[in-house]
Amino acid sequence: MEEVAEAFGKIIQATDPLEALRVYEEEVSDHVGRGAFRDEISFRCEFFDEDFFVIVKNHRARLAKLKDLGIEGAYFDLIQNYEAASLKQVLDVLESDPTLKAVQVSVSYDKKTLAAPTVGVFPASAPKGEPEVTESEEGRQIFVVALPDGIHDVTSADREGFLRERMWRFRKVFLTELDRTYLGEHLVDW
């Protein structure tokens, strides 16, 4: 729906009628005439399925566990601090070695309060396939992650935006290990 709404904005702002028609044909026309009337726009809404409710239950159970442990706010603060520090440090390491293929990430923090995180990013040999976790315990996770494909093809000025869009690969391995350690395997939702 959002894409079609954005397309309508492009059509309204277009000064060239052929450009407006191109936008309509490429982004809107597939949604026209699906319902009982030929001139209506319709969308399929299939996101409230069984999987959705399983995910919601898991999410609620995870939040309840964090609350029971008394670390709910600290958990989200740790993730936010980790993401900011790891992005900056990956960029710094790339500046010093533009051919780098992988990095080792080390995250340390108070194991009871999750406060005072320290993040270190260092050059590493590329893992074969999935990220390699070398240590994971309360207060500390260390893992090796391959840098995203194409990172060396963008200019250093565009590298931060490129990497920011692909930080999920660093976030996923850290969160999985953090969750496994504090919430238990049954609540790891990856």
Side-chain angles (χ1 to χ4, degrees):
M1 284 191 281
E2 185 177 325
E3 291 171 2
V4 172
E6 287 176 11
F8 277 125
K10 292 178 194 174
I11 291 169
I12 290 168
Q13 293 174 357
T15 56
D16 179 357
L18 290 176
E19 174 64 14
L21 178 61
R22 183 195 64 75
V23 171
Y24 172 81
E25 289 175 343
E26 290 179 6
E27 301 180 36
V28 178
S29 65
D30 287 345
H31 298 282
V32 175
R34 285 188 180 169
F37 304 104
R38 296 192 55 174
D39 59 351
E40 71 180 15
I41 295 177
S42 62
F43 302 93
R44 295 179 150 254
C45 294
E46 298 177 354
F47 44 82
F48 291 115
D49 60 4
E50 187 177 331
D51 288 343
F52 173 80
F53 292 107
V54 168
I55 290 168
V56 168
K57 283 182 177 177
N58 180 276
H59 177 74
R60 286 183 172 180
R62 292 162 51 83
L63 288 176
K65 177 80 175 202
L66 288 170
K67 205 173 262 189
D68 288 347
L69 293 170
I71 58 173
E72 183 180 22
Y75 175 87
F76 295 109
D77 289 344
L78 174 61
I79 293 167
Q80 186 175 11
N81 289 327
Y82 161 75
E83 287 180 350
S86 61
L87 174 64
K88 181 188 177 317
Q89 289 188 42
V90 169
L91 290 168
D92 290 346
V93 170
L94 272 168
E95 281 297 315
S96 64
D97 185 354
T99 63
L100 191 63
K101 302 285 187 219
V103 292
Q104 178 187 51
V105 181
S106 171
V107 187
S108 300
Y109 48 91
D110 183 277
K111 65 183 181 180
K112 290 190 186 340
T113 66
L114 308 185
T118 303
V119 178
V121 176
F122 312 97
S125 299
K128 294 171 178 59
E130 295 297 312
E132 294 176 6
V133 177
T134 57
E135 186 177 332
S136 185
E137 60 188 22
E138 288 184 1
R140 185 172 177 84
Q141 278 74 37
I142 302 174
F143 50 90
V144 176
V145 182
L147 293 173
D149 293 335
I151 189 75
H152 302 294
D153 300 331
V154 296
T155 65
S156 58
D158 295 332
R159 197 169 280 153
E160 181 175 349
F162 181 87
L163 189 58
R164 187 180 302 281
E165 291 175 2
R166 290 156 182 85
M167 283 303 289
W168 61 267
R169 47 175 81 222
F170 297 88
R171 184 176 202 241
K172 180 179 178 182
V173 66
F174 175 61
L175 281 181
T176 298
E177 292 306 313
L178 184 65
D179 290 354
R180 199 174 268 136
T181 302
Y182 285 91
L183 304 179
E185 188 72 40
H186 67 289
L187 290 177
V188 175
D189 66 352
W190 300 101

